[in-house]
């Protein structure tokens, strides 16, 4: 959220090259996958959410909603369910793998977001940087 908050709305469409996602598209992608992975771990379909296109406000709200949803999944999860079967894009695995991938995916794209911020003369506050 710190990276999403740090980028001005006027730069949400920024992309360092034409063939890569914009800053706003990366933030939206992080939220999309967070909903997908956390709902998978919870054993339900992803919740219906409004499409996050357009403004920084809409995209940031979508990301906050995804993180809130995942926080609920993590807080309600028990060790006894970690080895329960799960599907990861067609591959059979367990719930522990799904839950670790949510954090791994966030960290991977945080690196993109920090780079985009720095290319725009900004530094994220708090958290990792």
């Amino acid at each position: 959220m710190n990276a999403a908050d740090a980028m001005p709305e006027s730069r949400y469409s920024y992309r360092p090259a034409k063939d890569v996602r914009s800053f706003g598209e990366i933030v939206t992608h992080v939220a999309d996958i967070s909903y997908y992975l956390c709902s998978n771990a919870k054993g339900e379909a992803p919740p219906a959410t409004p499409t996050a296109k357009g403004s920084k406000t809409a995209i940031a709200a979508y990301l906050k909603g995804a993180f809130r949803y995942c926080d609920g999944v993590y807080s309600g999860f028990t060790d006894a369910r970690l080895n329960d079967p799960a599907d990861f894009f067609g591959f059979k695995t367990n719930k522990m793998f799904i839950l670790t991938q949510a954090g791994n995916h966030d960290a991977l794209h945080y690196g993109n977001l920090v780079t985009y911020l720095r290319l725009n003369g900004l530094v994220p506050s708090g958290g990792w940087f």
Side-chain angles (χ1 to χ4, degrees), residues 12-116:
Y12 259 59
S13 60
Y14 171 78
R15 65 182 80 235
K18 68 180 181 83
D19 294 334
V20 299
R21 290 180 176 127
S22 70
F23 185 90
E25 289 168 342
I26 294 173
V27 173
T28 300
H29 169 74
V30 168
D32 288 342
I33 298 302
S34 293
Y35 275 121
Y36 172 81
L37 292 173
C38 290
S39 65
N40 185 328
K42 192 173 181 181
E44 65 184 25
T49 56
T51 303
K53 298 226 186 261
S55 72
K56 172 182 175 173
T57 301
I59 293 169
Y62 182 59
L63 182 63
K64 284 179 189 174
F67 287 165
R68 231 182 353 265
Y69 177 76
C70 286
D71 286 347
V73 171
Y74 281 105
S75 69
F77 214 79
T78 64
D79 289 349
R81 295 190 43 224
L82 289 175
N83 207 32
D84 288 355
D87 179 80
F88 184 71
F89 297 101
F91 296 97
K92 300 299 176 201
T93 187
N94 60 31
K95 302 286 182 168
M96 182 174 66
F97 179 80
I98 299 298
L99 291 172
T100 60
Q101 290 313 299
N104 289 343
H105 183 261
D106 291 351
L108 172 116
H109 287 297
Y110 183 75
N112 298 127
L113 297 175
V114 167
T115 301
Y116 283 34

